[in-house]
Amino acid sequence: MAIEIRGMAPLLQVFDMPTSIGFYRDVLGFEVDSTSKPTGERFDWALLKLNGVELMLNTAYEITRGRQFLIPLALLPTTIRRFTLVARTWMRRTLTCARAAWL
């Protein structure tokens, strides 16, 4: 039984939120639907929408006491390699089965 997916909202990490908002809003035409609590004119998270497409932006750092700290990635390089291997194997099997079903 397949799961019915009706939408998706990818979360992108950005280093410069004002520039990123400017690009997605002014160049691509997205509307800013909601943001995290702003600190002055700055905020760390935004939900953008365009023609039923949702996209979230999040800063790739935290500002603490006036200093920027990068948020560390939770995956070790060995975990990433393992995940990539499993994902490729799964995709290969899925595509092979789908191609056999079409023939």
Side-chain angles (χ1 to χ4, degrees):
M1 181 165 119
I3 297 173
E4 184 178 339
I5 298 175
R6 295 182 183 199
M8 187 178 293
L11 174 64
L12 303 177
Q13 298 287 339
V14 299
F15 286 98
D16 187 348
M17 184 64 78
T19 301
S20 298
I21 290 292
F23 173 75
Y24 285 99
R25 183 189 58 215
D26 303 336
V27 176
L28 297 181
F30 278 85
E31 293 181 16
V32 178
D33 185 65
S34 58
T35 65
S36 62
K37 183 178 177 182
T39 306
E41 293 182 8
R42 301 186 69 83
F43 47 86
D44 292 320
W45 174 87
L47 174 64
L48 309 173
K49 292 184 177 182
L50 173 66
N51 300 330
V53 175
E54 292 184 340
L55 177 68
M56 295 182 289
L57 301 178
N58 193 59
T59 53
Y61 57 85
E62 294 178 352
I63 297 178
T64 308
R65 297 184 192 124
R67 299 179 67 192
Q68 294 181 358
F69 293 97
L70 292 180
I71 298 172
L73 294 176
L75 298 175
L76 300 172
T78 54
T79 306
I80 293 171
R81 277 188 240 117
R82 177 73 179 141
F83 172 79
T84 303
L85 176 65
V86 169
R88 285 182 182 161
T89 303
W90 181 83
M91 285 298 294
R92 204 174 293 123
R93 288 180 187 162
T94 302
L95 292 174
T96 302
C97 291
R99 185 173 51 197
W102 291 337
L103 298 176

